[in-house]
Amino acid sequence: MYPITDRLNSYLKSWHKTSTTRQQQKGKVVELTYPDFLALFTPGQLMGLDWAIQTNTLRQLQNEKSSDALVLTWRSYEAVSTGQFNSNTAMICSRKASEKNCRMVAGDSHTAETKARISKSKTGKRNSASHNEAISKATKGVSKSAWTPERKAARRALLAAKKAAMGTSKD
């Protein structure tokens, strides 16, 4: 392990506290102790931070707009979905790598809260003609799965209920 100077240790403790507090405020369960946090760093990352502190360039290195700044982040989108922020789900990497790692990949699915938020944002809004055309183009030639008998029965029941409701409303 890279020897940690007092100034570097102070910076890292502040970073740990800020990051874990932010995750707790987002409703995540944080089980990342300071020693676990330190274990996430490679010796090269610690050496780079220590050098930046010694040369008084830490602000430039860790600038919020810098894609190369180091961040404490989730290992993957799947890790974010667990809601458990610990040494198995957290990592230290560049902001650019974090953005790439935390994107959804094939096989990932949205959480119920995310699905509800997306639904709410789209409700009552129509797609543009170009968007509908793009959807049409993307789905042409793609086979769709057949309806299951259960789904067919549920659809028939729904349509029957609608017909019954329309029949009573006309009277």
Side-chain angles (χ1 to χ4, degrees):
M1 175 115 204
Y2 182 80
I4 298 175
T5 62
D6 289 341
R7 288 176 66 193
L8 177 59
N9 192 41
S10 296
Y11 174 72
L12 293 174
K13 281 186 178 181
S14 172
W15 182 0
H16 174 259
K17 184 177 181 182
T18 303
S19 296
T20 54
T21 301
R22 184 176 302 129
Q23 292 301 328
Q24 286 171 336
Q25 289 171 344
K26 291 180 180 180
K28 307 297 181 187
V29 176
V30 177
E31 299 165 340
L32 187 69
T33 63
Y34 182 65
D36 291 340
F37 171 70
L38 289 179
L40 297 174
F41 285 91
T42 65
Q45 290 169 332
L46 290 172
M47 196 179 325
L49 289 171
D50 195 27
W51 177 82
I53 288 171
Q54 290 174 17
T55 58
N56 208 20
T57 57
L58 187 63
R59 283 188 189 271
Q60 292 88 351
L61 178 70
Q62 290 295 92
N63 185 321
E64 284 187 26
K65 294 180 180 170
S66 171
S67 61
D68 295 323
L70 294 177
V71 294
L72 171 62
T73 187
W74 300 87
R75 287 189 184 275
S76 64
Y77 181 82
E78 183 182 0
V80 176
S81 303
T82 66
Q84 304 285 325
F85 198 63
N86 56 41
S87 58
N88 295 325
T89 58
M91 69 182 292
I92 303 290
C93 63
S94 70
R95 185 171 282 114
K96 184 182 352 180
S98 171
E99 290 169 359
K100 182 180 177 189
N101 293 342
C102 293
R103 287 189 190 128
M104 291 184 78
V105 294
D108 289 342
S109 60
H110 288 295
T111 63
E113 299 86 38
T114 302
K115 288 177 185 178
R117 192 177 70 242
I118 292 169
S119 175
K120 183 180 177 187
S121 72
K122 291 181 171 270
T123 301
K125 295 181 183 170
R126 292 203 170 274
N127 292 337
S128 67
S130 62
H131 185 76
N132 287 338
E133 182 62 33
I135 291 172
S136 174
K137 201 184 267 186
T139 57
K140 281 199 171 114
V142 178
S143 64
K144 297 178 177 87
S145 60
W147 283 30
T148 63
E150 296 83 18
R151 185 173 176 197
K152 286 179 185 178
R155 179 70 176 163
R156 282 191 195 106
L158 177 68
L159 291 175
K162 280 186 178 181
K163 269 187 182 178
M166 288 177 69
T168 58
S169 65
K170 287 182 181 178
D171 295 337

Short mmCIF file of all heavy atoms in Angstrom, two decimals, residues 129-169:
data_model
loop_
_atom_site.label_atom_id
_atom_site.label_comp_id
_atom_site.label_asym_id
_atom_site.label_seq_id
_atom_site.Cartn_x
_atom_site.Cartn_y
_atom_site.Cartn_z
N ALA A 129 -43.68 13.01 -35.67
CA ALA A 129 -43.82 12.16 -36.85
C ALA A 129 -42.49 11.47 -37.17
O ALA A 129 -42.47 10.28 -37.52
CB ALA A 129 -44.29 12.98 -38.03
N SER A 130 -41.39 12.20 -37.03
CA SER A 130 -40.08 11.61 -37.34
C SER A 130 -39.74 10.52 -36.32
O SER A 130 -39.13 9.50 -36.68
CB SER A 130 -38.99 12.68 -37.36
OG SER A 130 -38.87 13.29 -36.09
N HIS A 131 -40.15 10.71 -35.07
CA HIS A 131 -39.89 9.69 -34.05
C HIS A 131 -40.70 8.42 -34.36
O HIS A 131 -40.18 7.31 -34.29
CB HIS A 131 -40.26 10.23 -32.66
CG HIS A 131 -39.92 9.30 -31.54
ND1 HIS A 131 -38.63 9.15 -31.09
CD2 HIS A 131 -40.68 8.48 -30.78
CE1 HIS A 131 -38.62 8.26 -30.10
NE2 HIS A 131 -39.86 7.85 -29.90
N ASN A 132 -41.98 8.60 -34.72
CA ASN A 132 -42.81 7.44 -35.09
C ASN A 132 -42.24 6.73 -36.30
O ASN A 132 -42.26 5.48 -36.36
CB ASN A 132 -44.25 7.89 -35.35
CG ASN A 132 -44.98 8.24 -34.08
OD1 ASN A 132 -44.60 7.80 -33.00
ND2 ASN A 132 -46.02 9.03 -34.19
N GLU A 133 -41.73 7.47 -37.26
CA GLU A 133 -41.12 6.87 -38.45
C GLU A 133 -39.88 6.07 -38.06
O GLU A 133 -39.65 4.97 -38.58
CB GLU A 133 -40.75 7.97 -39.46
CG GLU A 133 -40.17 7.46 -40.75
CD GLU A 133 -41.12 6.57 -41.54
OE1 GLU A 133 -42.34 6.80 -41.49
OE2 GLU A 133 -40.62 5.62 -42.18
N ALA A 134 -39.08 6.60 -37.15
CA ALA A 134 -37.88 5.90 -36.70
C ALA A 134 -38.25 4.60 -35.98
O ALA A 134 -37.60 3.57 -36.17
CB ALA A 134 -37.05 6.79 -35.77
N ILE A 135 -39.29 4.64 -35.17
CA ILE A 135 -39.76 3.42 -34.48
C ILE A 135 -40.23 2.41 -35.51
O ILE A 135 -39.89 1.22 -35.44
CB ILE A 135 -40.90 3.76 -33.49
CG1 ILE A 135 -40.36 4.57 -32.32
CG2 ILE A 135 -41.57 2.48 -32.99
CD1 ILE A 135 -41.44 5.11 -31.39
N SER A 136 -40.99 2.85 -36.50
CA SER A 136 -41.49 1.97 -37.54
C SER A 136 -40.33 1.31 -38.30
O SER A 136 -40.34 0.11 -38.52
CB SER A 136 -42.36 2.77 -38.51
OG SER A 136 -42.74 1.98 -39.59
N LYS A 137 -39.35 2.13 -38.66
CA LYS A 137 -38.19 1.62 -39.40
C LYS A 137 -37.42 0.59 -38.57
O LYS A 137 -36.99 -0.44 -39.08
CB LYS A 137 -37.27 2.79 -39.75
CG LYS A 137 -36.33 2.53 -40.90
CD LYS A 137 -35.40 3.71 -41.12
CE LYS A 137 -35.95 4.66 -42.14
NZ LYS A 137 -34.98 5.73 -42.47
N ALA A 138 -37.29 0.85 -37.28
CA ALA A 138 -36.52 -0.05 -36.41
C ALA A 138 -37.22 -1.37 -36.16
O ALA A 138 -36.57 -2.40 -35.94
CB ALA A 138 -36.25 0.64 -35.07
N THR A 139 -38.55 -1.38 -36.21
CA THR A 139 -39.27 -2.61 -35.88
C THR A 139 -39.68 -3.41 -37.11
O THR A 139 -40.15 -4.54 -36.96
CB THR A 139 -40.53 -2.29 -35.05
OG1 THR A 139 -41.35 -1.38 -35.78
CG2 THR A 139 -40.16 -1.73 -33.71
N LYS A 140 -39.50 -2.88 -38.31
CA LYS A 140 -39.83 -3.63 -39.53
C LYS A 140 -38.88 -4.81 -39.67
O LYS A 140 -37.68 -4.69 -39.53
CB LYS A 140 -39.74 -2.73 -40.75
CG LYS A 140 -40.96 -1.85 -40.89
CD LYS A 140 -41.12 -1.30 -42.27
CE LYS A 140 -42.46 -0.63 -42.37
NZ LYS A 140 -42.41 0.79 -42.58
N GLY A 141 -39.47 -5.97 -39.92
CA GLY A 141 -38.67 -7.18 -40.08
C GLY A 141 -38.30 -7.86 -38.78
O GLY A 141 -37.64 -8.88 -38.79
N VAL A 142 -38.73 -7.30 -37.66
CA VAL A 142 -38.44 -7.90 -36.36
C VAL A 142 -39.68 -8.68 -35.91
O VAL A 142 -40.76 -8.11 -35.80
CB VAL A 142 -38.09 -6.82 -35.31
CG1 VAL A 142 -37.84 -7.45 -33.94
CG2 VAL A 142 -36.89 -6.03 -35.75
N SER A 143 -39.50 -9.99 -35.69
CA SER A 143 -40.66 -10.79 -35.30
C SER A 143 -41.06 -10.47 -33.87
O SER A 143 -40.23 -10.18 -33.02
CB SER A 143 -40.36 -12.27 -35.44
OG SER A 143 -39.33 -12.63 -34.55
N LYS A 144 -42.36 -10.48 -33.65
CA LYS A 144 -42.89 -10.23 -32.31
C LYS A 144 -43.36 -11.55 -31.74
O LYS A 144 -43.87 -12.40 -32.46
CB LYS A 144 -44.04 -9.22 -32.39
CG LYS A 144 -43.59 -7.86 -32.90
CD LYS A 144 -44.75 -6.92 -33.00
CE LYS A 144 -44.29 -5.56 -33.43
NZ LYS A 144 -44.21 -5.37 -34.84
N SER A 145 -43.22 -11.71 -30.44
CA SER A 145 -43.63 -12.97 -29.82
C SER A 145 -45.15 -13.09 -29.88
O SER A 145 -45.87 -12.10 -29.81
CB SER A 145 -43.15 -13.04 -28.37
OG SER A 145 -43.71 -11.98 -27.65
N ALA A 146 -45.63 -14.32 -30.01
CA ALA A 146 -47.07 -14.57 -30.08
C ALA A 146 -47.71 -14.33 -28.72
O ALA A 146 -47.06 -14.44 -27.68
CB ALA A 146 -47.31 -16.01 -30.52
N TRP A 147 -48.99 -13.99 -28.74
CA TRP A 147 -49.73 -13.79 -27.50
C TRP A 147 -49.97 -15.14 -26.83
O TRP A 147 -50.36 -16.11 -27.49
CB TRP A 147 -51.07 -13.12 -27.77
CG TRP A 147 -50.96 -11.65 -28.02
CD1 TRP A 147 -49.92 -10.98 -28.58
CD2 TRP A 147 -51.96 -10.68 -27.72
NE1 TRP A 147 -50.19 -9.64 -28.65
CE2 TRP A 147 -51.45 -9.43 -28.13
CE3 TRP A 147 -53.22 -10.72 -27.17
CZ2 TRP A 147 -52.15 -8.24 -27.99
CZ3 TRP A 147 -53.92 -9.55 -27.02
CH2 TRP A 147 -53.39 -8.33 -27.43
N THR A 148 -49.79 -15.18 -25.53
CA THR A 148 -50.07 -16.40 -24.78
C THR A 148 -51.58 -16.53 -24.60
O THR A 148 -52.31 -15.53 -24.68
CB THR A 148 -49.41 -16.36 -23.38
OG1 THR A 148 -49.99 -15.26 -22.66
CG2 THR A 148 -47.90 -16.18 -23.49
N PRO A 149 -52.07 -17.74 -24.35
CA PRO A 149 -53.52 -17.90 -24.12
C PRO A 149 -54.02 -17.03 -22.97
O PRO A 149 -55.13 -16.49 -23.03
CB PRO A 149 -53.66 -19.38 -23.80
CG PRO A 149 -52.49 -20.03 -24.46
CD PRO A 149 -51.38 -19.02 -24.40
N GLU A 150 -53.21 -16.85 -21.94
CA GLU A 150 -53.61 -16.02 -20.80
C GLU A 150 -53.77 -14.57 -21.23
O GLU A 150 -54.70 -13.88 -20.83
CB GLU A 150 -52.59 -16.11 -19.65
CG GLU A 150 -52.44 -17.47 -19.03
CD GLU A 150 -51.49 -18.39 -19.79
OE1 GLU A 150 -50.67 -17.90 -20.61
OE2 GLU A 150 -51.60 -19.61 -19.59
N ARG A 151 -52.83 -14.10 -22.05
CA ARG A 151 -52.89 -12.72 -22.51
C ARG A 151 -54.10 -12.50 -23.41
O ARG A 151 -54.78 -11.48 -23.34
CB ARG A 151 -51.60 -12.35 -23.25
CG ARG A 151 -51.55 -10.90 -23.64
CD ARG A 151 -50.21 -10.51 -24.21
NE ARG A 151 -50.25 -9.12 -24.66
CZ ARG A 151 -49.38 -8.58 -25.48
NH1 ARG A 151 -48.36 -9.28 -25.91
NH2 ARG A 151 -49.50 -7.33 -25.86
N LYS A 152 -54.38 -13.49 -24.28
CA LYS A 152 -55.55 -13.39 -25.15
C LYS A 152 -56.83 -13.31 -24.32
O LYS A 152 -57.72 -12.50 -24.60
CB LYS A 152 -55.62 -14.60 -26.09
CG LYS A 152 -54.62 -14.57 -27.21
CD LYS A 152 -54.76 -15.82 -28.07
CE LYS A 152 -53.70 -15.90 -29.13
NZ LYS A 152 -53.81 -17.13 -29.92
N ALA A 153 -56.94 -14.16 -23.30
CA ALA A 153 -58.13 -14.18 -22.45
C ALA A 153 -58.29 -12.85 -21.72
O ALA A 153 -59.40 -12.31 -21.62
CB ALA A 153 -58.05 -15.34 -21.45
N ALA A 154 -57.20 -12.32 -21.21
CA ALA A 154 -57.24 -11.04 -20.51
C ALA A 154 -57.67 -9.93 -21.46
O ALA A 154 -58.47 -9.05 -21.10
CB ALA A 154 -55.88 -10.72 -19.90
N ARG A 155 -57.20 -9.94 -22.69
CA ARG A 155 -57.57 -8.93 -23.67
C ARG A 155 -59.06 -9.04 -24.02
O ARG A 155 -59.75 -8.03 -24.13
CB ARG A 155 -56.70 -9.10 -24.93
CG ARG A 155 -57.01 -8.13 -26.03
CD ARG A 155 -56.59 -6.73 -25.67
NE ARG A 155 -56.83 -5.86 -26.82
CZ ARG A 155 -56.88 -4.57 -26.75
NH1 ARG A 155 -56.67 -3.95 -25.61
NH2 ARG A 155 -57.12 -3.86 -27.82
N ARG A 156 -59.54 -10.27 -24.21
CA ARG A 156 -60.97 -10.47 -24.51
C ARG A 156 -61.82 -9.93 -23.37
O ARG A 156 -62.85 -9.28 -23.60
CB ARG A 156 -61.27 -11.95 -24.73
CG ARG A 156 -60.85 -12.43 -26.10
CD ARG A 156 -61.41 -13.83 -26.38
NE ARG A 156 -60.73 -14.39 -27.51
CZ ARG A 156 -59.81 -15.36 -27.45
NH1 ARG A 156 -59.50 -15.90 -26.30
NH2 ARG A 156 -59.23 -15.80 -28.54
N ALA A 157 -61.41 -10.21 -22.13
CA ALA A 157 -62.17 -9.74 -20.96
C ALA A 157 -62.17 -8.21 -20.90
O ALA A 157 -63.20 -7.60 -20.60
CB ALA A 157 -61.57 -10.32 -19.68
N LEU A 158 -61.05 -7.60 -21.22
CA LEU A 158 -60.96 -6.14 -21.21
C LEU A 158 -61.88 -5.53 -22.26
O LEU A 158 -62.61 -4.59 -21.98
CB LEU A 158 -59.50 -5.70 -21.45
CG LEU A 158 -59.25 -4.20 -21.55
CD1 LEU A 158 -59.49 -3.54 -20.20
CD2 LEU A 158 -57.83 -3.94 -22.02
N LEU A 159 -61.84 -6.09 -23.47
CA LEU A 159 -62.70 -5.57 -24.54
C LEU A 159 -64.18 -5.77 -24.20
O LEU A 159 -65.01 -4.89 -24.47
CB LEU A 159 -62.35 -6.25 -25.86
CG LEU A 159 -60.98 -5.86 -26.45
CD1 LEU A 159 -60.69 -6.68 -27.70
CD2 LEU A 159 -60.92 -4.38 -26.76
N ALA A 160 -64.53 -6.91 -23.61
CA ALA A 160 -65.91 -7.17 -23.22
C ALA A 160 -66.36 -6.16 -22.17
O ALA A 160 -67.48 -5.65 -22.22
CB ALA A 160 -66.05 -8.60 -22.70
N ALA A 161 -65.48 -5.86 -21.23
CA ALA A 161 -65.81 -4.90 -20.18
C ALA A 161 -66.00 -3.50 -20.78
O ALA A 161 -66.92 -2.77 -20.40
CB ALA A 161 -64.71 -4.87 -19.13
N LYS A 162 -65.17 -3.15 -21.75
CA LYS A 162 -65.31 -1.85 -22.42
C LYS A 162 -66.63 -1.77 -23.18
O LYS A 162 -67.32 -0.75 -23.15
CB LYS A 162 -64.14 -1.60 -23.38
CG LYS A 162 -62.88 -1.12 -22.72
CD LYS A 162 -61.85 -0.77 -23.77
CE LYS A 162 -60.59 -0.23 -23.14
NZ LYS A 162 -59.59 0.13 -24.13
N LYS A 163 -66.98 -2.86 -23.90
CA LYS A 163 -68.23 -2.88 -24.65
C LYS A 163 -69.42 -2.75 -23.71
O LYS A 163 -70.37 -2.01 -23.98
CB LYS A 163 -68.36 -4.19 -25.44
CG LYS A 163 -67.82 -4.14 -26.82
CD LYS A 163 -68.16 -5.41 -27.56
CE LYS A 163 -67.56 -5.37 -28.95
NZ LYS A 163 -67.83 -6.60 -29.69
N ALA A 164 -69.35 -3.46 -22.60
CA ALA A 164 -70.43 -3.41 -21.62
C ALA A 164 -70.56 -1.99 -21.05
O ALA A 164 -71.67 -1.48 -20.88
CB ALA A 164 -70.17 -4.40 -20.49
N ALA A 165 -69.43 -1.35 -20.77
CA ALA A 165 -69.45 0.01 -20.22
C ALA A 165 -70.01 0.99 -21.25
O ALA A 165 -70.76 1.90 -20.92
CB ALA A 165 -68.05 0.44 -19.81
N MET A 166 -69.65 0.82 -22.53
CA MET A 166 -70.15 1.70 -23.58
C MET A 166 -71.65 1.48 -23.80
O MET A 166 -72.39 2.42 -24.04
CB MET A 166 -69.40 1.49 -24.89
CG MET A 166 -67.98 2.01 -24.85
SD MET A 166 -67.07 1.69 -26.36
CE MET A 166 -67.93 2.76 -27.50
N GLY A 167 -72.07 0.24 -23.69
CA GLY A 167 -73.49 -0.08 -23.86
C GLY A 167 -74.32 0.54 -22.79
O GLY A 167 -75.41 1.04 -23.05
N THR A 168 -73.83 0.58 -21.55
CA THR A 168 -74.60 1.17 -20.44
C THR A 168 -74.55 2.68 -20.49
O THR A 168 -75.47 3.36 -20.06
CB THR A 168 -74.05 0.69 -19.08
OG1 THR A 168 -72.69 1.02 -18.98
CG2 THR A 168 -74.26 -0.80 -18.91
N SER A 169 -73.48 3.26 -21.04
CA SER A 169 -73.38 4.72 -21.07
C SER A 169 -74.27 5.33 -22.15
O SER A 169 -74.66 6.48 -22.06
CB SER A 169 -71.93 5.16 -21.26
OG SER A 169 -71.48 4.74 -22.53
#
